[in-house]
Amino acid sequence: MARNGEGRARGIAARAGGWSVRHRWAAVGVWVLFVVVATVLGSAAGRVDVSDGDQLGGETGRAAKIVESAGIDEPAGETVLVQSRDGRLAATAPEFRTAVADVVRAVEGTGAVTHVRSPYAAGQGTVSRDGRTALVRFDMRGDPDTAADRVEPVLDAVAGVAARHDALRIEEIGGASMGRTFDDAFGDDFRRAEYSAVPVALGILLIAFGALVAALLPVALAVTAIVATTGLMGLVSHLQPMSETADSVMLLVGLAVGVDYCLFYLRREREERLKGHDARTALEIAAATSGRAVVVSGVTVCVAMAGMLFTGLAEFQAMGLASLIVVAVAMVGSVTVLPALLSLLGERVEKGRVPFLNRTGRRRAASGRSAEGGSTDGGSRFWSRVLTVVLARPAVSVGVAVVALLAVAAPALGMKTQNLTLDQEFGDSLPIVKTYDRVNEAFPGGSDPARVVVRADDITAPGVRSAIDAFRTRAVRSGASRGPVAVTVHAREDVAFIDVPLVGGSDQDRAERSLALLRDEVRPATLGAVDGVEAPVTGQVAGSKDFNDQIVGSVVPVFVFVVVFAFLLMLLSFRSLTIALTSIALNLLSVGAAYGILVAVFQNGWGASLVGAEGVGAIISWLPLFLFVILFGLSMDYHVFVVSRIKEARLQGRGNLEAIRHGVVTTAGVVTSAAVIMVAVFAIFGTLSMQSFKQMGVGLAAAVLIDATVIRGVLLPAVMALLGERNWYLPRVLHRLPDLSHEEAVPRPVAAPRDGHRGEEELRV
């Protein structure tokens, strides 16, 4: 391990920074080559996305695997609702029959559909019990995955029929039409949110630094890290399939940590130069301090993201792995290429200065210089005043902050999670949602029936056929369904589908009770009695239940993994049992407060209109676990950075309260800038129309805001003030643990070699 002139071990960040500055063009070239190679290889290898069979375990996953292994490529099904507007016109009326015939002719005339079924055909059962609603069903031709791109002519044809029959409500719904409608309504909205994240971050950095070049560096690092990770995801997808959701999460996390890490490093280098240090010394100090904090934070965030791998859910595993990769890439870039770029730019990092921006910070830093080249604390005047109050009465501050956070977190005790229904997700903003409700009202469960996927050695065997008939009869007799129960046999593949509309329809609780009847009573008594028959039950309701069950089952292992490994990393990095314990406790408080805000706003509807949301009565089922992992990881950014600065001040000989004040006040500017960027980026996603993304955006933004203010600005310094020297307590029995702290004095600058390839602003490591 490398050592400086005072004999202390030098950390990996300081050594990486030193190498990069000595070989700055090589460092930049290697980074550019890495990004290009990762992108090219990822593109060449192609990408494997999560399939239906990979999505879930349980019965839903087994059913998907049976369909995939049988090679059955089901077409995208569509339905046209034909309904009397005033309830007076019956399905048997001539005008009603004419409208149905017109629908059949119109959709067949597009040439884009096949297998059109009239409600009047024998065995269809698609006329409602009250005789006022009928369904015309058909399949889209071609690849079902691209059906949404080809459904527009069919939608136009149905709309033309509807325009000729004023007395009837004629509306189309199905996977293709819903996909097309949602993409038209929200696709551009979502893409704009992703694209606007970078300009928003750049604008905030420009305000924070007051110089265009300095503001561009963090964004450039984050963007190149995201580009490289996109290529790496293509390669990794052959081992762990990826998804579009993983892409979006990777972009969010990559932008957040990429900007944060670069911001920490750049702000410290800038600060040291403003104190009077020459450029090479400023870089050396930044590498040994902020660089180390970036490494500790990055490893901790990676560990947190790895927690998603324990869910057993392919979507979560893809998100976790993608986030882990982008954090690792951004961390490596921050401690390697960034020092090289800063060395190359020198004072040019201040180019593109914006008038009137950041002058106060420069004057304050300049006025803090001492005759010996040192400085006073400087930093944020606002947080300096806050710290004066907090450190004067730390016990009161802890009590007030904890009570406030617990009060905010209290609504989380009543959290209810579920997969949101269409009306919960989109409200009444889209006509197709109303169509969905009308179909469910007329045919309970008909729009999203349960599907039993039956596989047998011989699907046409008399015993199997008899069991299927018995299942159809008993499903209705048990009260789980009112019918019609439809059977589709794929004899060549020895597979059959039994579609069962569930009593309860869009009422999730009632529908789940009907599902339980099918799984626990009807199936064992019929299909379960035949040897060699496998019959998992899938469908929207079943998928939602299986997903929730799997999420609930993964909470404990994910929680234990993330908390235990984060604790160990903090313990080894700071050599303090107290710091490790308090970091976990404070992060849990932050997550709890975020949960409370989510429940209050989106479940209870308190102040929902302020964020353009609605109280939908539930939190989307995947969000609590997702938020825990993401927030626990991102919160460590601030915690590691602030505590590292406090410990640095202690090693310089400052007293406990003085070190706390110095650490918090001098990091307040960078933590505030980083938090504002994160809150702004996450808040963009809170503006989307889909309730699930609103919940994600608001939850992340609220948690980061609480973490950067109440937690790091009040609770952390107050707790550390109360603990005093016990902050750095490490039991004797733990002294044998590996030492990852790498504390080191700032090395003295030495003359740089002049070989025509290296400038004067180099440092020796």
Side-chain angles (χ1 to χ4, degrees):
M1 182 177 291
R3 296 177 180 272
N4 64 12
E6 298 184 10
R8 288 177 174 247
R10 296 186 60 79
I12 188 172
R15 284 182 284 154
W19 182 90
S20 297
V21 173
R22 291 198 307 274
H23 308 87
R24 48 199 183 182
W25 283 112
V28 173
V30 168
W31 178 257
V32 172
L33 182 64
F34 163 68
V35 174
V36 171
V37 169
T39 303
V40 171
L41 290 180
S43 177
R47 199 172 95 158
V48 179
D49 283 333
V50 173
S51 66
D52 291 339
D54 295 327
Q55 289 279 9
L56 285 173
E59 293 196 30
T60 306
R62 292 207 311 274
K65 284 183 169 61
I66 289 174
V67 174
E68 287 180 4
S69 63
I72 299 173
D73 194 9
E74 294 184 84
E78 290 287 297
T79 297
V80 176
L81 171 82
V82 183
Q83 185 180 62
S84 173
R85 287 187 181 275
D86 56 12
R88 296 178 184 176
L89 202 60
T92 54
E95 184 179 345
F96 202 111
R97 285 180 172 274
T98 299
V100 168
D102 287 348
V103 169
V104 171
R105 277 195 302 273
V107 297
E108 286 180 334
T110 64
V113 308
T114 184
H115 197 198
V116 181
R117 285 95 73 193
S118 168
Y120 303 119
Q124 287 301 306
T126 52
V127 175
S128 63
R129 287 192 172 190
D130 65 4
R132 299 295 186 268
T133 305
L135 303 178
V136 177
R137 291 180 169 171
F138 54 89
D139 299 326
M140 293 293 298
R141 293 184 185 275
D143 185 354
D145 293 334
T146 61
D149 300 329
R150 293 176 279 103
V151 76
E152 187 171 6
V154 184
L155 291 171
D156 292 341
V158 172
V161 175
R164 298 195 300 271
H165 297 273
D166 295 337
L168 296 170
R169 183 179 288 115
I170 301 175
E171 301 166 342
E172 183 176 346
I173 189 170
S177 53
M178 290 170 68
R180 178 56 181 259
T181 302
F182 295 153
D183 189 58
D184 288 346
F186 306 118
D188 291 340
D189 187 25
F190 190 79
R191 283 187 287 272
R192 278 197 303 271
E194 287 185 326
Y195 295 152
S196 62
V198 171
V200 166
L202 179 60
I204 295 170
L205 286 168
L206 192 58
I207 295 172
F209 285 119
L212 181 60
V213 174
L216 282 171
L217 276 180
V219 174
L221 176 73
V223 169
T224 53
I226 290 168
V227 171
T229 301
T230 301
L232 295 176
M233 286 171 65
L235 297 174
V236 173
S237 70
H238 294 273
L239 300 175
Q240 167 60 57
M242 291 294 164
S243 69
E244 290 185 3
T245 305
D247 293 339
S248 299
V249 172
M250 183 273 291
L251 185 147
L252 275 176
V253 174
L255 187 60
V257 300
V259 168
D260 275 10
Y261 294 163
C262 190
L263 188 60
F264 294 164
Y265 207 110
L266 179 56
R267 198 65 177 262
R268 183 59 185 266
E269 186 268 349
R270 211 166 183 242
E271 176 187 332
E272 296 302 328
R273 285 196 295 111
L274 288 171
K275 287 179 180 178
H277 289 116
D278 59 84
R280 62 183 180 183
T281 304
L283 272 173
E284 189 169 26
I285 294 172
T289 54
S290 291
R292 176 185 171 275
V294 165
V295 171
V296 173
S297 173
V299 173
T300 308
V301 176
C302 285
V303 167
M305 300 305 173
M308 292 195 207
L309 301 178
F310 290 83
T311 61
L313 296 164
E315 195 76 60
F316 267 66
Q317 290 171 330
M319 289 190 293
L321 193 55
S323 301
L324 187 157
I325 294 172
V326 78
V327 171
V329 171
M331 176 186 68
V332 171
S334 297
V335 297
T336 56
V337 71
L338 181 58
L341 287 172
L342 290 174
S343 178
L344 284 168
L345 288 171
E347 294 296 330
R348 291 188 296 273
V349 77
E350 304 290 345
K351 289 287 187 181
R353 179 156 299 285
V354 180
F356 310 114
L357 289 183
N358 208 33
R359 286 187 175 184
T360 302
R362 295 200 305 276
R363 285 199 301 268
R364 191 159 57 242
S367 65
R369 298 174 192 167
S370 68
E372 293 77 25
S375 73
T376 63
D377 284 348
S380 167
R381 291 179 181 176
F382 170 79
W383 285 110
S384 182
R385 288 193 290 268
V386 171
L387 261 291
T388 298
V389 176
V390 169
L391 297 181
R393 295 178 177 82
V396 174
S397 299
V398 169
V400 171
V402 169
V403 168
L405 288 173
L406 290 177
V408 173
L413 296 175
M415 181 185 290
K416 177 185 177 182
T417 61
Q418 67 177 53
N419 280 352
L420 301 183
T421 59
L422 275 180
D423 58 333
Q424 289 175 318
E425 184 72 89
F426 300 103
D428 57 0
S429 59
L430 295 179
I432 202 167
V433 175
K434 296 179 181 178
T435 304
Y436 176 86
D437 291 337
R438 292 184 186 110
V439 172
N440 263 316
E441 185 178 350
F443 304 89
S447 57
D448 285 311
R451 166 164 285 188
V452 187
V453 179
V454 183
R455 178 169 63 182
D457 295 333
D458 182 2
I459 200 69
T460 61
V464 176
R465 294 173 62 183
S466 176
I468 291 174
D469 290 339
F471 182 93
R472 294 179 64 185
T473 302
R474 190 153 183 161
V476 176
R477 189 183 302 162
S478 69
S481 175
R482 296 195 185 104
V485 179
V487 177
T488 304
V489 177
H490 298 270
R492 188 172 60 183
E493 291 83 8
D494 286 319
V495 171
F497 298 147
I498 309 175
D499 291 325
V500 187
L502 295 175
V503 169
S506 57
D507 184 331
Q508 190 78 12
D509 293 334
R510 289 185 62 201
E512 284 190 7
R513 289 195 291 271
S514 300
L515 174 69
L517 281 174
L518 288 185
R519 284 180 167 179
D520 302 335
E521 295 182 17
V522 178
R523 179 179 56 188
T526 56
L527 296 166
V530 181
D531 292 336
V533 170
E534 187 178 1
V537 182
T538 184
Q540 189 274 330
V541 175
S544 176
K545 185 180 187 307
D546 290 348
F547 183 83
N548 282 335
D549 290 345
Q550 199 158 349
I551 282 285
V552 171
S554 64
V555 166
V556 172
V558 171
F559 180 88
V560 170
F561 174 82
V562 172
V563 170
V564 168
F565 272 83
F567 169 81
L568 289 175
L569 282 170
M570 296 298 288
L571 178 65
L572 299 178
S573 298
F574 288 100
R575 302 290 290 175
S576 167
L577 180 63
T578 310
I579 293 295
L581 289 172
T582 55
S583 67
I584 299 299
L586 295 181
N587 279 354
L588 291 177
L589 267 176
S590 178
V591 173
Y595 285 172
I597 291 173
L598 275 177
V599 172
V601 174
F602 293 98
Q603 184 172 313
N604 300 335
W606 302 344
S609 60
L610 297 177
V611 293
E614 298 178 11
V616 295
I619 304 301
I620 187 73
S621 57
W622 54 264
L623 189 58
L625 188 62
F626 172 81
L627 278 184
F628 169 75
V629 173
I630 295 291
L631 293 177
F632 208 90
L634 295 183
S635 293
M636 283 299 181
D637 271 359
Y638 305 144
H639 195 87
V640 169
F641 191 62
V642 176
V643 174
S644 294
R645 198 66 182 267
I646 293 172
K647 188 166 187 180
E648 180 188 334
R650 289 285 294 146
L651 291 172
Q652 292 171 352
R654 297 177 186 243
N656 185 56
L657 293 183
E658 186 184 359
I660 294 170
R661 176 184 294 276
H662 175 82
V664 174
V665 171
T666 54
T667 58
V670 67
V671 168
T672 300
S673 298
V676 169
I677 290 170
M678 278 199 193
V679 170
V681 170
F682 294 148
I684 290 172
F685 286 82
T687 65
L688 300 183
S689 302
M690 295 173 64
Q691 290 294 311
S692 55
F693 282 103
K694 277 186 180 293
Q695 292 183 7
M696 183 188 76
V698 170
L700 287 170
V704 169
L705 186 61
I706 290 171
D707 195 79
T709 53
V710 180
I711 299 291
R712 308 303 161 203
V714 177
L715 200 49
L716 173 63
V719 168
M720 293 188 74
L722 286 175
L723 290 172
E725 291 303 315
R726 286 169 293 184
N727 282 310
W728 317 110
Y729 169 69
L730 185 69
R732 187 177 299 275
V733 70
L734 299 180
H735 284 185
R736 294 180 179 272
L737 289 174
D739 185 356
L740 303 183
S741 60
H742 297 312
E743 259 66 64
E744 52 191 317
V746 177
R748 290 187 296 272
V750 295
R754 300 174 181 270
D755 58 3
H757 299 284
R758 302 171 187 171
E760 296 180 358
E761 295 178 351
E762 297 191 27
L763 57 102
R764 185 179 68 195
V765 176

